[in-house]
Amino acid sequence: AGAVLEDPSSGAIEAVYGGPGYGLPQAECDRVYCELNMAEDPKQVGSSFKPYVLATAVSEGMNVQTSTLNGNSPIWIPEGSSTADRLVLSSPTKPVNPTQPYLPFNEKSEDSGPVSPQKAAAISSDPAFEDLAHRAGVQNVIDMAKQFGVGETPFFNGKSNASNDWTTLNEQFGSSCPATGCSDTNGAVAIALGEGELTAVEQ
């Protein structure tokens, strides 16, 4: 595990824990991967990515006090990226002759029906946040993450071999990736479930 202590009022990084034994000479290290700074090792972040989705929707005008999210399961969620595609509502049944790709979501334990944003966040509703990512726009969610600082790579400035979490996130899920860097997950609303990899520092 890696960890980062940050001052939320300024964003200043106060301390970094790179893992057990990180920084020790190899001869003194009795752990595995002591040379790996785990605070800078990208991993899937799971539901901790959902606030980026919610922030995107709010920035686009969603009222968290009066809105209702779609927490139904099963649900088929559209994944087209155009403005018209995003206006298409999710469906409780498999669409016939769809004009855009759909993500089927069917986990009985996740069926919470219509939910408020507060409850959806409290129970970490996967269908509600995937549907919200569809409505807000996957690329817009990625761009919101950048506004929060994902991609700043504070420890890597000036190094040519540095990885960049936002670039990787965009290549994996973005709708405007270069053709050679596109993935079969481009535009996938599964981004809401934190399937993209970020470092503890970036988070």
Side-chain angles (χ1 to χ4, degrees), residues 39-157:
E40 284 291 293
D41 185 32
K43 298 294 182 189
Q44 291 187 350
V45 296
S47 292
S48 68
F49 196 83
K50 288 173 180 173
Y52 298 119
V53 179
L54 187 58
T56 305
V58 170
S59 75
E60 295 174 356
M62 185 186 86
N63 185 325
V64 295
Q65 302 301 327
T66 59
S67 296
T68 301
L69 303 186
N70 192 341
N72 293 309
S73 181
I75 188 173
W76 277 258
I77 305 168
E79 294 195 295
S81 59
S82 73
T83 302
D85 289 339
R86 286 168 47 204
L87 292 175
V88 176
L89 299 177
S90 294
S91 173
T93 57
K94 184 177 182 178
V96 179
N97 300 321
T99 58
Q100 60 178 305
Y102 278 76
L103 174 77
F105 185 96
N106 189 6
E107 291 184 25
K108 196 170 186 179
S109 63
E110 287 279 349
D111 186 13
S112 54
V115 290
S116 68
Q118 292 87 346
K119 182 175 180 181
I123 65 174
S124 194
S125 170
D126 288 350
F129 275 91
E130 286 189 315
D131 184 56
L132 190 59
H134 153 65
R135 297 303 302 271
V138 170
Q139 186 63 52
N140 294 337
V141 172
I142 294 170
D143 293 342
M144 178 59 71
K146 186 174 186 179
Q147 289 185 52
F148 273 104
V150 171
E152 291 297 315
T153 55
F155 285 179
F156 289 137
N157 287 339

